[in-house]
Amino acid sequence: MRLTAAPLVALATTFTTVATAPAKRAAPQGIDVSHFQGVVDFAAAAANGVSFAYIKATEGTTFVDPDFSANYNGATTAGLIRGGYHFAHPDTSSGATQAEYFLAHGGGWSSDGITLPGALDIEYNPDGAECYGLSASAMVSWIKDFSDTYQARTGVFPVIYTTTDWWTTCTGNSAAFASTNPLWIARYSSSIGTLPAGWSFTTFWQYADSGPNPGDQDEFNGSLQGLKNLALG
Ligand SMILES: *[C@@H]1O[C@H](CO)[C@@H](O)[C@H](O)[C@H]1NC(C)=O
């Protein structure tokens, strides 16, 4: 993820009072990776406690991650529950167009118990205007167009990856997706903090951008069976 705003503040607080050992996190652990990590050793990650992975597939309608296939296949071979994610560029084409592009390049879903719903990574614009120059209502419409298109094609709503700060600023803190789309919040802290409007809980939490495994560090809010259920739809 190209998360730029949240400060990396709280790694120290993830340590227990036993000074030598990091706190064991009970929830299923995951990672998210892109070509920035290259081709990842998922067997090693699995041996090191990782249960799931999100792998970057696409960005806008012009970029397919060159390591997507190798990473997706590697995660599959390692027995991980995995899915793809799409980095949104709401300033370049419609939500429907970008959902179709994502679906055509690895973002698909099937109810096989190992495929997570595709994730829409919608966050700080790496290249330009805040909120990609869209009004809050136009941003909500764009996300709805993406989400509805994905749902119509796959049967499941995409996971929404964002930060509470970005969502508040750029969607006007819309509650329109809370009853349909699983939430994946990025917050690099010892607690997840305030969630966007509507959602009473998060499904995934990206809690650090580095750690014991490659890429960003994530956890699933639930049990391993709950994670498998999400992959069943
Ligand atoms: C995790 O999910 C449960 C409901 O299943 C919820 O009560 C709890 O607040 C969630 N945790 C977070 C951090 O959202």
Side-chain angles (χ1 to χ4, degrees):
M1 305 274 166
R2 299 205 294 197
L3 181 66
T4 54
L8 181 59
V9 288
L11 282 182
T13 63
T14 66
F15 284 76
T16 64
T17 50
V18 180
T20 50
K24 283 264 185 287
R25 302 184 81 113
Q29 296 297 297
I31 55 177
D32 59 86
V33 300
S34 72
H35 67 282
F36 289 114
Q37 282 77 41
V39 177
V40 167
D41 184 347
F42 284 99
N48 198 30
V50 167
S51 303
F52 70 93
Y54 267 108
I55 297 158
K56 183 170 184 176
T58 49
E59 185 167 335
T61 51
T62 56
F63 181 81
V64 176
D65 190 295
D67 293 328
F68 173 78
S69 292
N71 277 332
Y72 203 77
N73 292 337
T76 308
T77 302
L80 299 186
I81 296 171
R82 76 287 183 267
Y85 77 86
H86 174 81
F87 190 96
H89 277 282
D91 51 343
T92 60
S93 53
S94 73
T97 299
Q98 292 194 27
E100 295 289 357
Y101 187 76
F102 179 44
L103 287 160
H105 299 284
W109 181 82
S110 58
S111 176
D112 54 13
I114 62 167
T115 305
L116 294 167
L120 176 65
D121 175 0
I122 186 135
E123 54 164 291
Y124 306 98
N125 185 354
D127 319 307
E130 187 178 41
C131 307
Y132 301 87
L134 271 62
S135 68
S137 65
M139 185 63 78
V140 169
S141 297
W142 192 96
I143 297 167
K144 188 159 171 43
D145 194 26
F146 184 100
S147 180
D148 287 352
T149 302
Y150 191 90
Q151 194 272 337
R153 291 281 308 277
T154 64
V156 291
F157 286 97
V159 169
I160 293 177
Y161 168 96
T162 193
T163 75
T164 298
D165 173 68
W166 185 90
W167 190 265
T168 303
T169 303
C170 295
T171 72
N173 208 16
S174 172
F177 303 93
S179 64
T180 46
N181 299 68
L183 180 64
W184 179 9
I185 278 289
R187 188 161 196 263
Y188 304 159
S189 181
S190 58
S191 66
I192 198 163
T194 305
L195 298 178
W199 280 283
S200 58
F201 64 92
T202 195
T203 297
F204 295 106
W205 177 15
Q206 185 191 76
Y207 60 86
D209 65 356
S210 65
N213 289 296
D216 301 317
Q217 314 290 298
D218 301 280
E219 67 182 27
F220 174 73
N221 180 20
S223 64
L224 191 56
Q225 188 55 51
L227 183 65
K228 288 176 180 165
N229 290 345
L230 180 62
L232 287 169

